[in-house]
PDB file of all heavy atoms in Angstrom:
ATOM      1  N   PRO A  44     144.863  92.652 155.396  1.00 61.00           N
ATOM      2  CA  PRO A  44     144.690  93.764 154.461  1.00 61.00           C
ATOM      3  C   PRO A  44     144.137  93.249 153.132  1.00 61.00           C
ATOM      4  O   PRO A  44     144.200  92.057 152.845  1.00 61.00           O
ATOM      5  CB  PRO A  44     146.110  94.299 154.278  1.00 61.00           C
ATOM      6  CG  PRO A  44     146.982  93.130 154.556  1.00 61.00           C
ATOM      7  CD  PRO A  44     146.255  92.285 155.570  1.00 61.00           C
ATOM      8  N   THR A  45     143.618  94.144 152.346  1.00 59.00           N
ATOM      9  CA  THR A  45     143.101  93.781 151.026  1.00 59.00           C
ATOM     10  C   THR A  45     144.265  93.472 150.099  1.00 59.00           C
ATOM     11  O   THR A  45     145.227  94.229 150.032  1.00 59.00           O
ATOM     12  CB  THR A  45     142.262  94.940 150.451  1.00 59.00           C
ATOM     13  OG1 THR A  45     141.180  95.180 151.348  1.00 59.00           O
ATOM     14  CG2 THR A  45     141.716  94.617 149.080  1.00 59.00           C
ATOM     15  N   VAL A  46     144.160  92.356 149.387  1.00 60.00           N
ATOM     16  CA  VAL A  46     145.205  91.956 148.448  1.00 60.00           C
ATOM     17  C   VAL A  46     144.935  92.548 147.079  1.00 60.00           C
ATOM     18  O   VAL A  46     145.817  93.035 146.405  1.00 60.00           O
ATOM     19  CB  VAL A  46     145.307  90.418 148.350  1.00 60.00           C
ATOM     20  CG1 VAL A  46     146.223  89.998 147.213  1.00 60.00           C
ATOM     21  CG2 VAL A  46     145.805  89.854 149.662  1.00 60.00           C
ATOM     22  N   LYS A  47     143.691  92.489 146.664  1.00 55.00           N
ATOM     23  CA  LYS A  47     143.367  92.967 145.321  1.00 55.00           C
ATOM     24  C   LYS A  47     142.070  93.761 145.359  1.00 55.00           C
ATOM     25  O   LYS A  47     141.215  93.537 146.199  1.00 55.00           O
ATOM     26  CB  LYS A  47     143.232  91.794 144.353  1.00 55.00           C
ATOM     27  CG  LYS A  47     142.092  90.841 144.674  1.00 55.00           C
ATOM     28  CD  LYS A  47     142.126  89.637 143.740  1.00 55.00           C
ATOM     29  CE  LYS A  47     141.051  88.648 144.094  1.00 55.00           C
ATOM     30  NZ  LYS A  47     139.794  88.884 143.480  1.00 55.00           N
ATOM     31  N   LYS A  48     141.962  94.699 144.450  1.00 58.00           N
ATOM     32  CA  LYS A  48     140.734  95.457 144.326  1.00 58.00           C
ATOM     33  C   LYS A  48     139.709  94.566 143.645  1.00 58.00           C
ATOM     34  O   LYS A  48     139.970  93.994 142.588  1.00 58.00           O
ATOM     35  CB  LYS A  48     140.979  96.722 143.501  1.00 58.00           C
ATOM     36  CG  LYS A  48     139.763  97.597 143.398  1.00 58.00           C
ATOM     37  CD  LYS A  48     140.054  98.849 142.596  1.00 58.00           C
ATOM     38  CE  LYS A  48     138.777  99.650 142.525  1.00 58.00           C
ATOM     39  NZ  LYS A  48     138.589 100.299 141.267  1.00 58.00           N
ATOM     40  N   GLU A  49     138.566  94.436 144.288  1.00 56.00           N
ATOM     41  CA  GLU A  49     137.522  93.560 143.750  1.00 56.00           C
ATOM     42  C   GLU A  49     137.001  94.112 142.431  1.00 56.00           C
ATOM     43  O   GLU A  49     136.731  95.305 142.312  1.00 56.00           O
ATOM     44  CB  GLU A  49     136.368  93.468 144.753  1.00 56.00           C
ATOM     45  CG  GLU A  49     135.511  92.270 144.581  1.00 56.00           C
ATOM     46  CD  GLU A  49     136.189  90.990 145.059  1.00 56.00           C
ATOM     47  OE1 GLU A  49     136.867  90.345 144.240  1.00 56.00           O
ATOM     48  OE2 GLU A  49     136.049  90.650 146.216  1.00 56.00           O
ATOM     49  N   GLN A  50     136.904  93.246 141.436  1.00 54.00           N
ATOM     50  CA  GLN A  50     136.335  93.620 140.148  1.00 54.00           C
ATOM     51  C   GLN A  50     135.000  92.919 139.999  1.00 54.00           C
ATOM     52  O   GLN A  50     134.785  91.861 140.583  1.00 54.00           O
ATOM     53  CB  GLN A  50     137.267  93.218 139.008  1.00 54.00           C
ATOM     54  CG  GLN A  50     138.595  93.932 139.051  1.00 54.00           C
ATOM     55  CD  GLN A  50     139.509  93.482 137.920  1.00 54.00           C
ATOM     56  OE1 GLN A  50     139.185  92.618 137.132  1.00 54.00           O
ATOM     57  NE2 GLN A  50     140.674  94.085 137.846  1.00 54.00           N
ATOM     58  N   ASN A  51     134.120  93.512 139.222  1.00 50.00           N
ATOM     59  CA  ASN A  51     132.809  92.930 138.991  1.00 50.00           C
ATOM     60  C   ASN A  51     132.550  92.808 137.499  1.00 50.00           C
ATOM     61  O   ASN A  51     132.978  93.645 136.715  1.00 50.00           O
ATOM     62  CB  ASN A  51     131.704  93.800 139.605  1.00 50.00           C
ATOM     63  CG  ASN A  51     131.752  93.806 141.114  1.00 50.00           C
ATOM     64  OD1 ASN A  51     131.782  92.753 141.736  1.00 50.00           O
ATOM     65  ND2 ASN A  51     131.772  94.993 141.706  1.00 50.00           N
ATOM     66  N   VAL A  52     131.835  91.765 137.124  1.00 49.00           N
ATOM     67  CA  VAL A  52     131.323  91.608 135.765  1.00 49.00           C
ATOM     68  C   VAL A  52     129.826  91.432 135.916  1.00 49.00           C
ATOM     69  O   VAL A  52     129.367  90.511 136.589  1.00 49.00           O
ATOM     70  CB  VAL A  52     131.952  90.375 135.056  1.00 49.00           C
ATOM     71  CG1 VAL A  52     131.246  90.099 133.744  1.00 49.00           C
ATOM     72  CG2 VAL A  52     133.431  90.584 134.836  1.00 49.00           C
ATOM     73  N   GLY A  53     129.070  92.331 135.331  1.00 53.00           N
ATOM     74  CA  GLY A  53     127.620  92.273 135.477  1.00 53.00           C
ATOM     75  C   GLY A  53     127.201  92.406 136.929  1.00 53.00           C
ATOM     76  O   GLY A  53     126.188  91.847 137.344  1.00 53.00           O
ATOM     77  N   GLY A  54     128.001  93.129 137.729  1.00 53.00           N
ATOM     78  CA  GLY A  54     127.688  93.326 139.135  1.00 53.00           C
ATOM     79  C   GLY A  54     128.075  92.166 140.033  1.00 53.00           C
ATOM     80  O   GLY A  54     127.796  92.184 141.223  1.00 53.00           O
ATOM     81  N   LEU A  55     128.743  91.153 139.491  1.00 50.00           N
ATOM     82  CA  LEU A  55     129.082  89.968 140.274  1.00 50.00           C
ATOM     83  C   LEU A  55     130.599  89.790 140.381  1.00 50.00           C
ATOM     84  O   LEU A  55     131.288  89.627 139.376  1.00 50.00           O
ATOM     85  CB  LEU A  55     128.467  88.719 139.647  1.00 50.00           C
ATOM     86  CG  LEU A  55     126.950  88.714 139.521  1.00 50.00           C
ATOM     87  CD1 LEU A  55     126.487  87.510 138.722  1.00 50.00           C
ATOM     88  CD2 LEU A  55     126.304  88.715 140.894  1.00 50.00           C
ATOM     89  N   ALA A  56     131.102  89.790 141.616  1.00 47.00           N
ATOM     90  CA  ALA A  56     132.528  89.581 141.842  1.00 47.00           C
ATOM     91  C   ALA A  56     132.930  88.161 141.477  1.00 47.00           C
ATOM     92  O   ALA A  56     134.011  87.930 140.939  1.00 47.00           O
ATOM     93  CB  ALA A  56     132.881  89.879 143.299  1.00 47.00           C
ATOM     94  N   ALA A  57     132.063  87.193 141.749  1.00 48.00           N
ATOM     95  CA  ALA A  57     132.391  85.796 141.450  1.00 48.00           C
ATOM     96  C   ALA A  57     132.540  85.575 139.949  1.00 48.00           C
ATOM     97  O   ALA A  57     133.376  84.787 139.510  1.00 48.00           O
ATOM     98  CB  ALA A  57     131.329  84.861 142.024  1.00 48.00           C
ATOM     99  N   LEU A  58     131.744  86.260 139.144  1.00 45.00           N
ATOM    100  CA  LEU A  58     131.855  86.140 137.699  1.00 45.00           C
ATOM    101  C   LEU A  58     133.173  86.747 137.222  1.00 45.00           C
ATOM    102  O   LEU A  58     133.857  86.177 136.375  1.00 45.00           O
ATOM    103  CB  LEU A  58     130.665  86.825 137.018  1.00 45.00           C
ATOM    104  CG  LEU A  58     130.437  86.541 135.554  1.00 45.00           C
ATOM    105  CD1 LEU A  58     130.314  85.046 135.298  1.00 45.00           C
ATOM    106  CD2 LEU A  58     129.183  87.243 135.066  1.00 45.00           C
ATOM    107  N   ALA A  59     133.555  87.861 137.813  1.00 45.00           N
ATOM    108  CA  ALA A  59     134.832  88.487 137.457  1.00 45.00           C
ATOM    109  C   ALA A  59     135.998  87.585 137.828  1.00 45.00           C
ATOM    110  O   ALA A  59     137.012  87.559 137.146  1.00 45.00           O
ATOM    111  CB  ALA A  59     134.976  89.839 138.150  1.00 45.00           C
ATOM    112  N   ALA A  60     135.858  86.817 138.897  1.00 48.00           N
ATOM    113  CA  ALA A  60     136.940  85.943 139.351  1.00 48.00           C
ATOM    114  C   ALA A  60     137.278  84.884 138.312  1.00 48.00           C
ATOM    115  O   ALA A  60     138.384  84.362 138.306  1.00 48.00           O
ATOM    116  CB  ALA A  60     136.562  85.276 140.677  1.00 48.00           C
ATOM    117  N   GLY A  61     136.348  84.570 137.434  1.00 50.00           N
ATOM    118  CA  GLY A  61     136.601  83.587 136.395  1.00 50.00           C
ATOM    119  C   GLY A  61     137.155  84.167 135.122  1.00 50.00           C
ATOM    120  O   GLY A  61     137.502  83.437 134.199  1.00 50.00           O
ATOM    121  N   THR A  62     137.255  85.489 135.071  1.00 50.00           N
ATOM    122  CA  THR A  62     137.682  86.119 133.829  1.00 50.00           C
ATOM    123  C   THR A  62     138.903  87.019 133.981  1.00 50.00           C
ATOM    124  O   THR A  62     139.387  87.550 133.003  1.00 50.00           O
ATOM    125  CB  THR A  62     136.525  86.959 133.228  1.00 50.00           C
ATOM    126  OG1 THR A  62     136.147  87.961 134.184  1.00 50.00           O
ATOM    127  CG2 THR A  62     135.344  86.080 132.886  1.00 50.00           C
ATOM    128  N   THR A  63     139.396  87.206 135.191  1.00 58.00           N
ATOM    129  CA  THR A  63     140.534  88.090 135.393  1.00 58.00           C
ATOM    130  C   THR A  63     141.798  87.289 135.687  1.00 58.00           C
ATOM    131  O   THR A  63     141.736  86.142 136.095  1.00 58.00           O
ATOM    132  CB  THR A  63     140.280  89.058 136.572  1.00 58.00           C
ATOM    133  OG1 THR A  63     140.075  88.286 137.760  1.00 58.00           O
ATOM    134  CG2 THR A  63     139.097  89.944 136.316  1.00 58.00           C
ATOM    135  N   THR A  64     142.926  87.907 135.477  1.00 66.00           N
ATOM    136  CA  THR A  64     144.202  87.270 135.794  1.00 66.00           C
ATOM    137  C   THR A  64     144.865  88.042 136.928  1.00 66.00           C
ATOM    138  O   THR A  64     144.541  89.202 137.175  1.00 66.00           O
ATOM    139  CB  THR A  64     145.136  87.268 134.567  1.00 66.00           C
ATOM    140  OG1 THR A  64     145.346  88.622 134.159  1.00 66.00           O
ATOM    141  CG2 THR A  64     144.554  86.461 133.428  1.00 66.00           C
ATOM    142  N   ALA A  65     145.800  87.409 137.592  1.00 68.00           N
ATOM    143  CA  ALA A  65     146.526  88.063 138.678  1.00 68.00           C
ATOM    144  C   ALA A  65     147.702  88.830 138.105  1.00 68.00           C
ATOM    145  O   ALA A  65     148.506  88.287 137.353  1.00 68.00           O
ATOM    146  CB  ALA A  65     147.008  87.026 139.686  1.00 68.00           C
ATOM    147  N   SER A  66     147.806  90.098 138.472  1.00 76.00           N
ATOM    148  CA  SER A  66     148.948  90.902 138.046  1.00 76.00           C
ATOM    149  C   SER A  66     150.170  90.506 138.869  1.00 76.00           C
ATOM    150  O   SER A  66     150.062  89.853 139.907  1.00 76.00           O
ATOM    151  CB  SER A  66     148.642  92.393 138.255  1.00 76.00           C
ATOM    152  OG  SER A  66     148.588  92.679 139.650  1.00 76.00           O
ATOM    153  N   ALA A  67     151.335  90.918 138.419  1.00 81.00           N
ATOM    154  CA  ALA A  67     152.576  90.633 139.158  1.00 81.00           C
ATOM    155  C   ALA A  67     152.501  91.238 140.556  1.00 81.00           C
ATOM    156  O   ALA A  67     152.946  90.632 141.534  1.00 81.00           O
ATOM    157  CB  ALA A  67     153.778  91.172 138.394  1.00 81.00           C
ATOM    158  N   GLN A  68     151.924  92.411 140.659  1.00 83.00           N
ATOM    159  CA  GLN A  68     151.786  93.076 141.958  1.00 83.00           C
ATOM    160  C   GLN A  68     150.855  92.279 142.885  1.00 83.00           C
ATOM    161  O   GLN A  68     151.145  92.124 144.067  1.00 83.00           O
ATOM    162  CB  GLN A  68     151.253  94.490 141.764  1.00 83.00           C
ATOM    163  CG  GLN A  68     151.196  95.298 143.036  1.00 83.00           C
ATOM    164  CD  GLN A  68     150.712  96.715 142.790  1.00 83.00           C
ATOM    165  OE1 GLN A  68     150.035  96.988 141.809  1.00 83.00           O
ATOM    166  NE2 GLN A  68     151.058  97.610 143.704  1.00 83.00           N
ATOM    167  N   GLU A  69     149.768  91.732 142.344  1.00 81.00           N
ATOM    168  CA  GLU A  69     148.868  90.911 143.162  1.00 81.00           C
ATOM    169  C   GLU A  69     149.541  89.625 143.609  1.00 81.00           C
ATOM    170  O   GLU A  69     149.373  89.197 144.756  1.00 81.00           O
ATOM    171  CB  GLU A  69     147.583  90.597 142.390  1.00 81.00           C
ATOM    172  CG  GLU A  69     146.654  91.769 142.276  1.00 81.00           C
ATOM    173  CD  GLU A  69     145.472  91.511 141.350  1.00 81.00           C
ATOM    174  OE1 GLU A  69     145.511  90.568 140.542  1.00 81.00           O
ATOM    175  OE2 GLU A  69     144.503  92.277 141.430  1.00 81.00           O
ATOM    176  N   VAL A  70     150.330  89.017 142.749  1.00 84.00           N
ATOM    177  CA  VAL A  70     151.063  87.802 143.120  1.00 84.00           C
ATOM    178  C   VAL A  70     152.003  88.113 144.289  1.00 84.00           C
ATOM    179  O   VAL A  70     152.083  87.341 145.254  1.00 84.00           O
ATOM    180  CB  VAL A  70     151.833  87.223 141.914  1.00 84.00           C
ATOM    181  CG1 VAL A  70     152.774  86.111 142.347  1.00 84.00           C
ATOM    182  CG2 VAL A  70     150.860  86.722 140.857  1.00 84.00           C
ATOM    183  N   GLU A  71     152.690  89.253 144.224  1.00 89.00           N
ATOM    184  CA  GLU A  71     153.567  89.657 145.322  1.00 89.00           C
ATOM    185  C   GLU A  71     152.766  89.889 146.601  1.00 89.00           C
ATOM    186  O   GLU A  71     153.209  89.526 147.693  1.00 89.00           O
ATOM    187  CB  GLU A  71     154.345  90.917 144.957  1.00 89.00           C
ATOM    188  CG  GLU A  71     155.425  90.677 143.931  1.00 89.00           C
ATOM    189  CD  GLU A  71     156.128  91.958 143.494  1.00 89.00           C
ATOM    190  OE1 GLU A  71     155.834  93.050 144.049  1.00 89.00           O
ATOM    191  OE2 GLU A  71     156.973  91.869 142.591  1.00 89.00           O
ATOM    192  N   ARG A  72     151.585  90.486 146.481  1.00 88.00           N
ATOM    193  CA  ARG A  72     150.756  90.717 147.664  1.00 88.00           C
ATOM    194  C   ARG A  72     150.247  89.402 148.252  1.00 88.00           C
ATOM    195  O   ARG A  72     150.164  89.257 149.464  1.00 88.00           O
ATOM    196  CB  ARG A  72     149.590  91.643 147.329  1.00 88.00           C
ATOM    197  CG  ARG A  72     150.024  93.080 147.246  1.00 88.00           C
ATOM    198  CD  ARG A  72     148.834  94.014 147.270  1.00 88.00           C
ATOM    199  NE  ARG A  72     149.021  94.964 146.197  1.00 88.00           N
ATOM    200  CZ  ARG A  72     148.093  95.362 145.350  1.00 88.00           C
ATOM    201  NH1 ARG A  72     146.881  94.926 145.429  1.00 88.00           N
ATOM    202  NH2 ARG A  72     148.375  96.227 144.409  1.00 88.00           N
ATOM    203  N   TYR A  73     149.902  88.436 147.393  1.00 88.00           N
ATOM    204  CA  TYR A  73     149.493  87.117 147.891  1.00 88.00           C
ATOM    205  C   TYR A  73     150.639  86.473 148.668  1.00 88.00           C
ATOM    206  O   TYR A  73     150.433  85.883 149.727  1.00 88.00           O
ATOM    207  CB  TYR A  73     149.057  86.195 146.751  1.00 88.00           C
ATOM    208  CG  TYR A  73     147.662  86.432 146.243  1.00 88.00           C
ATOM    209  CD1 TYR A  73     147.423  86.641 144.891  1.00 88.00           C
ATOM    210  CD2 TYR A  73     146.566  86.414 147.097  1.00 88.00           C
ATOM    211  CE1 TYR A  73     146.140  86.848 144.407  1.00 88.00           C
ATOM    212  CE2 TYR A  73     145.277  86.617 146.622  1.00 88.00           C
ATOM    213  CZ  TYR A  73     145.068  86.837 145.271  1.00 88.00           C
ATOM    214  OH  TYR A  73     143.797  87.031 144.800  1.00 88.00           O
ATOM    215  N   GLU A  74     151.854  86.581 148.121  1.00 92.00           N
ATOM    216  CA  GLU A  74     153.026  86.016 148.806  1.00 92.00           C
ATOM    217  C   GLU A  74     153.223  86.696 150.160  1.00 92.00           C
ATOM    218  O   GLU A  74     153.417  86.035 151.187  1.00 92.00           O
ATOM    219  CB  GLU A  74     154.282  86.168 147.951  1.00 92.00           C
ATOM    220  CG  GLU A  74     155.524  85.654 148.654  1.00 92.00           C
ATOM    221  CD  GLU A  74     156.804  85.885 147.865  1.00 92.00           C
ATOM    222  OE1 GLU A  74     156.770  86.516 146.795  1.00 92.00           O
ATOM    223  OE2 GLU A  74     157.847  85.421 148.343  1.00 92.00           O
ATOM    224  N   GLU A  75     153.182  88.015 150.161  1.00 92.00           N
ATOM    225  CA  GLU A  75     153.377  88.762 151.405  1.00 92.00           C
ATOM    226  C   GLU A  75     152.288  88.417 152.423  1.00 92.00           C
ATOM    227  O   GLU A  75     152.575  88.192 153.597  1.00 92.00           O
ATOM    228  CB  GLU A  75     153.382  90.262 151.116  1.00 92.00           C
ATOM    229  CG  GLU A  75     153.565  91.107 152.359  1.00 92.00           C
ATOM    230  CD  GLU A  75     153.533  92.602 152.063  1.00 92.00           C
ATOM    231  OE1 GLU A  75     153.039  93.011 150.991  1.00 92.00           O
ATOM    232  OE2 GLU A  75     153.991  93.355 152.929  1.00 92.00           O
TER     233      GLU A  75
END
């Protein structure tokens, strides 16, 4: 299943991956 909703910066998901943090809910989803 999807763990996190993909975010984009300038249309690039990889760029967003360097600028976003994991929420508590996402950390729980990664664990699950």
